[in-house]
């Protein structure tokens, strides 16, 4: 979930009322050239409360966007949000990455309101809290079913999903990539 793409990708946002795609080409100057940007409305029954209810309508809209805009790139990225996405900052006893990897499933069960077998889980040690013997860990869990629904739409449109991120992290990464965040000012996104 925290990965960065290694190659050029097409961003795909499956929203509650529309599906959007965008492809940027990195230039040697460090700037980007817009190659494709398109939007297609979705009927109200396609997405309900953030869940894909009629994947055929979403696949049809995405396939149409790809064809109408002559998108050749097969590497697609997307992001998720909603009730199926859980983000928690937790404190745990200080341990190594290896120890955390072994115990994270058990630790996560205390914080995730879903069966741990039904979620994809990721985590990152944020910092060691001096003098407390604890670490601060960012814990992220997403229902496997929600990921599978979004991945399936991209696959059925003939493309390859290479990254599925969390909306909030994707927005933060876009901000950091485009602006000189100093940490000395308050920014609302």
């Amino acid at each position: 979930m925290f990965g960065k793409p290694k190659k050029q990708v097409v961003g795909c946002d499956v929203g509650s009322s529309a599906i959007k795609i965008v492809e940027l080409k990195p230039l040697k100057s460090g700037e980007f050239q817009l190659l494709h940007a398109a939007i297609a409305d979705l009927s109200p029954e396609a997405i309900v409360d953030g869940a894909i209810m009629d994947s055929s309508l979403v696949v049809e809209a995405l396939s149409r966007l790809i064809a109408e805009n002559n998108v050749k790139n097969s590497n697609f990225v997307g992001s998720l949000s909603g009730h199926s996405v859980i983000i928690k900052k937790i404190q745990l006893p200080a341990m190594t990455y290896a120890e955390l990897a072994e115990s994270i499933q058990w630790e996560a069960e205390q914080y995730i309101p879903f069966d741990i077998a039904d979620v994809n889980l990721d985590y990152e040690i944020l910092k060691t809290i001096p003098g407390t013997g604890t670490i601060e860990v960012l814990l992220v869990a997403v229902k496997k079913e929600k990921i599978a629904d979004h991945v399936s739409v991209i696959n059925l449109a003939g493309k390859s999903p290479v990254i599925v991120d969390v909306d909030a992290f994707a927005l933060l990464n876009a901000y950091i990539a485009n602006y000189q965040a100093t940490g000395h000012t308050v920014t609302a996104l």
Side-chain angles (χ1 to χ4, degrees), residues 10 12 21 62 66 73-77 154 159-163:
V10 177
C12 179
I21 60 171
L62 179 56
I66 291 167
N73 191 336
S74 64
N75 298 310
F76 273 52
V77 300
I154 294 169
K159 300 299 181 178
S160 301
V162 293
I163 295 177

Side-chain angles (χ1 to χ4, degrees), residues 16-158:
S16 58
S17 62
I19 188 165
K20 288 89 55 189
I21 60 171
V22 66
E23 183 176 14
L24 302 172
K25 177 182 177 181
L27 302 175
K28 291 180 182 178
S29 65
E31 295 179 345
F32 292 89
Q33 175 186 358
L34 178 63
L35 297 181
H36 302 100
I39 185 169
D41 291 332
L42 293 172
S43 61
E45 65 270 8
I47 310 282
V48 178
D49 290 333
I52 297 174
M53 302 306 286
D54 189 337
S55 63
S56 64
L57 291 174
V58 181
V59 171
E60 179 184 315
L62 179 56
S63 297
R64 190 172 58 252
L65 284 177
I66 291 167
E68 289 172 355
N69 291 278
N70 200 25
V71 176
K72 300 291 185 213
N73 191 336
S74 64
N75 298 310
F76 273 52
V77 300
S79 63
L80 303 171
S81 64
H83 301 297
S84 298
V85 177
I86 305 296
I87 302 169
K88 298 248 186 219
K89 205 183 312 183
I90 62 174
Q91 290 186 5
L92 298 172
M95 61 183 82
T96 66
Y97 280 100
E99 292 169 331
L100 181 59
E102 288 181 20
S103 66
I104 195 65
Q105 294 282 351
W106 180 82
E107 296 289 352
E109 286 178 352
Q110 301 173 57
Y111 300 98
I112 305 301
F114 310 121
D115 184 339
I116 206 72
D118 294 339
V119 299
N120 279 5
L121 190 65
D122 202 356
Y123 58 92
E124 184 72 33
I125 296 175
L126 298 175
K127 65 182 177 181
T128 300
I129 303 171
T132 65
T134 60
I135 55 174
E136 191 172 80
V137 176
L138 184 65
L139 181 65
V140 179
V142 181
K143 281 194 166 184
K144 290 178 181 178
E145 178 182 350
K146 183 146 184 163
I147 295 170
D149 287 347
H150 279 70
V151 164
S152 173
V153 163
I154 294 169
N155 281 327
L156 289 171

